[in-house]
Amino acid sequence: MVTAADSGERRESVWLAAAPARRRSEAPSGLDRERITAATVRLLDAEGLARFSMRRLAAGLGVTAMSLYWYVDTKHDLLELALDSALGELVPPADPGWPGRLRELARGYRRVLADHPWVAPLTAAYPNIGPHARAFDADLQRLLDATGLADAARTGAHLAVSQFLHGCGGTARRAPEDDFCLALDVLIAGIEAKARG
């Protein structure tokens, strides 16, 4: 499995690093970061994280592996971009009440993990700070603000929901849907009880 520490060196997130400083006039035609990221997601879906390589990705795009480095500095950058791209599939919850919004958010996150099994290990390996990850976190924060919990309890609820989503949705042997929904109901009941107390 690929992790941020594979090389033994500390690395900077693609979201914090400057884009590769290369002259665009020399860049291969027909490629851009969005196209490469979309191809990365498709390859990860088809072959999994363990089989992902720059060489396989380049072959699928019909270019040389070195062509990809005009757009990203490392394979890790591409994996971070793919992670955030997958999280972009989440739809902001529409239910007017916070319990319904939490159910929508949790089920949507679970669907992303089911559709892209490589997302769960990458969320543990990389700082989840891309624009779609931040939007998801902002949705969760707004939802928890609506619960009426005090600040410290809201922080605890945020941690509980995050751990629940990663634990129940991201494990290799995911809980059956009914069990997931029951556990989610228990979590919501606990938040409601804390907000009343």
Side-chain angles (χ1 to χ4, degrees):
M1 177 186 349
V2 176
T3 66
D6 276 354
S7 65
E9 298 175 18
R10 294 183 56 88
R11 57 174 296 281
E12 188 171 6
S13 169
V14 70
W15 303 109
L16 301 176
R22 298 175 181 101
R23 292 194 306 269
R24 285 289 179 221
S25 62
E26 296 176 10
S29 63
L31 285 182
D32 58 41
R33 219 180 214 196
E34 291 75 28
R35 183 173 173 222
I36 295 168
T37 301
T40 300
V41 169
R42 286 190 304 273
L43 182 60
L44 287 165
D45 286 346
E47 298 194 16
L49 189 55
R51 292 183 44 91
F52 178 80
S53 73
M54 296 297 267
R55 200 171 284 141
R56 284 179 194 270
L57 177 62
L61 287 165
V63 299
T64 65
M66 290 311 294
S67 300
L68 302 175
Y69 292 104
W70 283 95
Y71 302 94
V72 293
D73 284 329
T74 69
K75 174 175 150 178
H76 293 287
D77 290 352
L78 261 182
L79 293 174
E80 268 193 274
L81 291 167
L83 170 61
D84 199 65
S85 177
L87 293 176
E89 296 174 15
L90 288 165
V91 177
D95 193 290
W98 74 262
R101 290 200 324 262
L102 181 52
R103 283 185 185 90
E104 287 179 32
L105 198 69
R107 288 181 181 141
Y109 192 82
R110 181 178 163 90
R111 266 190 306 279
V112 166
L113 294 178
D115 292 346
H116 309 290
W118 48 270
V119 164
L122 291 186
T123 60
Y126 295 111
N128 226 342
I129 57 174
H132 293 116
R134 288 193 326 262
F136 172 77
D137 198 56
D139 285 341
L140 178 56
Q141 194 57 55
R142 279 190 296 277
L143 182 158
L144 291 172
D145 288 347
T147 63
L149 289 169
D151 287 345
R154 207 167 43 245
T155 300
H158 190 280
L159 178 62
V161 170
S162 296
Q163 292 298 318
F164 171 78
L165 292 177
H166 292 286
C168 286
T171 58
R173 289 184 46 210
R174 294 179 335 135
E177 184 71 21
D178 289 347
D179 292 348
F180 176 83
C181 291
L182 178 60
L184 181 58
D185 287 344
V186 169
L187 178 63
I188 289 169
I191 294 171
E192 288 174 325
K194 188 71 175 171
R196 283 194 305 268

